[in-house]
Amino acid sequence: MKINTILLTLLLFLSPLAEAQHTTGESLKEDFATLLAEKSRNMESILCTFTETRHMSIFTQDVVRKGVFRYKRAEGMALDFENGDRILMTRDLFSIRTDGRTTTSRMTANPMLRQMKNIFSACMSGDAEALCKSGEMRIEKSRSGYRVHLVPVARSARKYVSDIILDFDRTDMTLIRLHMEQPSGDYTRYEFHDKRFNTNLDAKFFQAN
């Protein structure tokens, strides 16, 4: 699978933050880390709808798709698109179904996949320290939440990703957008809506097929 395709499948959640305060202060990082850990402690599952937006300079219009997102702490996460396409990421596997064809690979087979998995796992589990290790971090705070900018440390990763933006809702500290921008200016963004927490999600939703 081409690395660009992999990158475009791994984006998640958002809603714009207003009146952001730019800062790199340690106190803000500590406040963010404490609140993230507190709110994530009892978060076992998330069920919501999502919108995927892919912006590519070669197209005159953005490609927009919708679907259902599911996350379960012990299982992983799955994005099921309305057209039947699917993205699945578990502890060990990454699987993508496009036009009825499924491709599955192990997380350990690709450093970029491992990094993205670590970012998602850190966000969901509330591990701000692990999130910080994913790249050079800068945090902005507003009345509605936090915005985290991550710049990949590895030179090989920066060839494909110039900036990762994570937006968190202050009320529950869940991701509401993850935006990944490439050096070319192309990007993929996932916006998530109508979130329901700690619902009973069947393990079948996290099986590759």
Side-chain angles (χ1 to χ4, degrees):
M1 183 185 298
K2 294 182 179 179
I3 187 66
N4 282 358
T5 302
I6 294 173
L7 294 175
L8 290 172
T9 64
L10 295 176
L11 289 294
L12 216 85
F13 309 155
L14 177 251
S15 150
L17 297 174
E19 303 176 349
Q21 302 169 358
H22 295 261
T23 179
T24 56
E26 289 303 314
S27 61
L28 179 55
K29 289 184 179 180
E30 291 176 4
D31 290 345
F32 168 77
T34 299
L35 190 57
L36 181 63
E38 176 187 331
K39 295 292 187 178
S40 303
R41 188 173 297 118
N42 298 318
M43 189 72 67
E44 295 297 327
S45 69
I46 300 173
L47 172 65
C48 63
T49 57
F50 71 88
T51 301
E52 177 199 66
T53 302
R54 295 174 57 182
H55 173 83
M56 302 181 70
S57 59
I58 61 173
F59 297 144
T60 57
Q61 292 184 330
D62 292 345
V63 178
V64 179
R65 301 192 297 170
K66 298 180 182 294
V68 175
F69 170 82
R70 296 177 179 88
Y71 161 78
K72 192 172 184 178
R73 185 183 292 270
E75 303 292 343
M77 69 175 203
L79 296 92
D80 290 291
F81 293 84
E82 291 178 344
N83 68 351
D85 289 352
R86 189 167 204 256
I87 299 167
L88 172 68
M89 188 160 56
T90 69
R91 180 178 301 177
D92 302 313
L93 299 176
F94 175 82
S95 177
I96 179 170
R97 183 172 66 218
T98 305
D99 297 329
R101 182 178 180 180
T102 300
T103 302
T104 302
S105 59
R106 301 195 68 81
M107 283 293 179
T108 55
N110 189 291
M112 183 60 67
L113 283 179
R114 289 200 303 272
Q115 182 181 37
M116 294 309 302
K117 175 184 177 295
N118 290 340
I119 290 175
F120 285 125
S121 297
C123 291
M124 298 297 184
S125 64
D127 191 343
E129 182 178 354
L131 188 61
C132 186
K133 292 178 180 178
S134 300
E136 298 176 1
M137 177 186 285
R138 177 169 58 89
I139 300 177
E140 303 167 6
K141 181 181 179 181
S142 76
R143 287 179 296 185
S144 57
Y146 293 88
R147 170 168 288 179
V148 176
H149 292 263
L150 287 175
V151 177
V153 175
R155 187 173 300 176
S156 58
R158 289 200 300 269
K159 292 180 181 179
Y160 305 103
V161 183
S162 58
D163 193 17
I164 300 169
I165 302 173
L166 308 162
D167 283 335
F168 293 83
D169 184 335
R170 186 177 180 83
T171 59
D172 52 39
M173 290 304 288
T174 58
L175 278 170
I176 47 180
R177 173 168 39 179
L178 192 156
H179 172 107
M180 182 180 289
E181 188 154 337
Q182 299 174 323
S184 64
D186 293 344
Y187 62 82
T188 301
R189 176 187 302 150
Y190 286 84
E191 300 179 80
F192 282 61
H193 318 279
D194 304 321
K195 285 179 280 186
R196 297 166 55 192
F197 305 122
N198 296 330
T199 60
N200 185 20
L201 299 179
D202 197 305
K204 69 180 182 180
F205 289 117
F206 307 96
Q207 297 173 355
N209 49 43

